[in-house]
Amino acid sequence: MKLLIFAIVYPIIWITSRLPMPILYLKSNISFFILYYIVGYRKKVVYSNLQAAFPDKNEKELKSIRKKFFRHFTDLIFESIKSFSISEKEIKKRYQYTNIEIIDKLTKEGKNIALVGSHQANWEWAFGLPLFVDISCLGAYTRIQNKYFEKVIYNSRIKFGYNGCPIGLFNSQLQERFKTKKQSLYMLLSDQSPQLHKTRHWATFLNNFVPVHTGAETIAKKFNLAVVNINTTKIKRGHYTSDLQLITASPNDFKDYDLTEKYLKITEAHIAKQPEFYLWSHKRFKHKGKYDEWLKLRKKA
């Protein structure tokens, strides 16, 4: 069955990927109309997230952001499909970096790097980063159950030199690289909501007290990684700039969870500038109000 689904769907994706960007954005416009006005896909979830994140905004403002989000969301879907065929020339033109010299400097100093970011604007096209830096790049991803789609998506992501690693194997890959002294940059998107039983820290993020991921901080301290933040801004349709900011070259100078808190503050500030381009379609604050439940889980552990 998985092979049959792949055989039917992938040719459509393959053909769509090779269409010019203006045609893809025309398809995106149609998809937006269907998704937003007819299907109403997760409109309530998005509005609820925005309402919780921006309590000072009125209904009109929130609905405006929601509508702009869905316009961007369908663009992102087609931009992700374009990833299958996008050329080196085109990715360099459409996805650029500022302050890239931060990575160059740390690389020359022999540092390994944790590049921390969020699901803002377009994170999929960050697989072009190896075209701009002289350091091996490794990023964790969630495996797709259909092994046929898994293979083609994986090959698409590594075509510019990026190394993809399933989340479950990330720690072992990281340890292997340190064992063999392979200098690396590790891409970590840390703004998602963790599973409650795996949570180590709670913080106020987007005006809500919620559990937060601390894996980037843990890894940075354990392996003495320089921590660099990446914030992506949408310049115009199909064009992005990612700004790099050094958080610290000495992670062990920070008290427990201070690095995580700093990352969250930087991420919040960036989201506030372009809220419509953040990923609001998931239940962002699903564990809000579960702090006491979490404490009970901790006591049982």
Side-chain angles (χ1 to χ4, degrees):
M1 179 59 72
K2 289 182 179 180
L3 179 58
L4 178 62
I5 293 171
F6 175 78
I8 294 170
V9 176
Y10 182 65
I12 298 171
I13 294 174
W14 187 88
I15 292 168
T16 302
S17 176
R18 279 153 180 77
L19 294 173
M21 292 302 290
I23 302 298
L24 289 182
Y25 287 131
L26 178 60
K27 287 179 173 290
S28 177
N29 290 343
I30 296 169
S31 298
F32 161 73
F33 183 84
I34 295 170
L35 207 65
Y36 191 79
Y37 289 107
I38 299 175
V39 178
Y41 174 75
R42 294 198 176 186
K43 286 174 72 173
K44 290 182 180 178
V45 171
V46 172
Y47 187 83
S48 176
N49 283 334
L50 290 170
Q51 198 172 34
F54 305 108
D56 294 336
K57 293 187 183 297
N58 60 41
E59 183 180 357
K60 184 179 179 181
E61 291 172 309
L62 294 174
K63 286 185 174 180
S64 175
I65 293 171
R66 181 178 66 178
K67 188 175 181 179
K68 289 175 183 177
F69 161 75
F70 277 102
R71 285 192 180 279
H72 171 69
F73 183 68
T74 54
D75 277 3
L76 183 61
I77 291 170
F78 283 94
E79 287 168 3
S80 297
I81 291 172
K82 187 65 179 178
S83 299
F84 285 96
S85 65
I86 196 166
S87 67
E88 179 178 327
K89 181 181 179 181
E90 191 162 20
I91 196 73
K92 282 184 172 180
K93 180 181 79 172
R94 293 182 173 275
Y95 204 93
Q96 299 182 349
Y97 296 85
T98 57
N99 301 325
I100 198 74
E101 61 272 9
I102 291 173
I103 302 296
D104 295 336
K105 183 175 183 294
L106 292 169
T107 301
K108 288 174 184 176
E109 291 171 355
K111 281 281 191 180
N112 290 283
I113 303 164
L115 187 64
V116 294
S118 64
H119 291 82
Q120 177 80 1
N122 183 331
W123 55 94
E124 290 289 344
W125 281 359
F127 65 49
L129 179 62
L131 298 172
F132 296 85
V133 297
D134 188 25
I135 185 172
S136 179
C137 300
L138 179 71
Y141 70 93
T142 302
R143 270 182 170 154
I144 295 173
Q145 290 185 348
N146 188 312
K147 65 180 181 180
Y148 305 102
F149 277 111
E150 167 71 16
K151 184 177 180 180
V152 296
I153 291 172
Y154 176 81
N155 288 335
S156 170
R157 285 173 171 168
I158 66 171
K159 65 183 175 183
F160 297 134
Y162 209 84
N163 297 282
C165 175
I167 289 175
L169 301 175
F170 187 78
N171 284 334
S172 58
Q173 278 268 353
L174 191 151
Q175 289 171 11
E176 181 62 28
R177 284 178 172 240
F178 270 86
K179 226 181 251 185
T180 58
K181 297 182 179 179
K182 184 175 180 64
Q183 188 183 18
S184 302
L185 177 150
Y186 303 96
M187 179 74 167
L188 301 160
L189 301 182
S190 303
D191 59 318
Q192 298 282 59
S193 180
Q195 294 177 338
L196 204 60
H197 70 280
K198 292 183 179 180
T199 297
R200 294 290 175 268
H201 182 60
W202 287 62
T204 299
F205 180 55
L206 294 170
N207 288 304
N208 290 270
F209 190 58
V210 290
V212 294
H213 277 290
T214 56
E217 175 176 331
T218 301
I219 291 169
K221 287 186 172 183
K222 183 176 180 179
F223 295 99
N224 194 33
L225 307 178
V227 182
V228 177
N229 193 79
I230 178 170
N231 275 325
T232 304
T233 299
K234 187 170 187 175
I235 306 303
K236 60 180 180 179
R237 207 174 198 185
H239 291 265
Y240 303 89
T241 296
S242 283
D243 182 66
L244 303 176
Q245 174 186 350
L246 177 65
I247 295 179
T248 182
S250 306
N252 288 295
D253 289 348
F254 285 73
K255 294 178 182 178
D256 285 350
Y257 308 123
D258 279 3
L259 259 178
T260 298
E261 295 272 1
K262 187 168 184 179
Y263 155 77
L264 292 172
K265 293 302 179 188
I266 293 170
T267 302
E268 278 183 325
H270 188 64
I271 291 170
K273 292 177 182 177
Q274 292 190 321
E276 64 271 30
F277 301 141
Y278 189 57
L279 186 62
W280 297 108
S281 52
H282 294 69
K283 290 185 178 179
R284 181 64 52 186
F285 310 112
K286 59 186 175 184
H287 296 310
K288 180 182 176 181
K290 295 182 180 180
Y291 184 74
D292 289 340
E293 181 183 336
W294 172 74
L295 286 177
K296 290 177 183 177
L297 289 173
R298 293 278 287 175
K299 287 176 182 177
K300 290 178 182 179

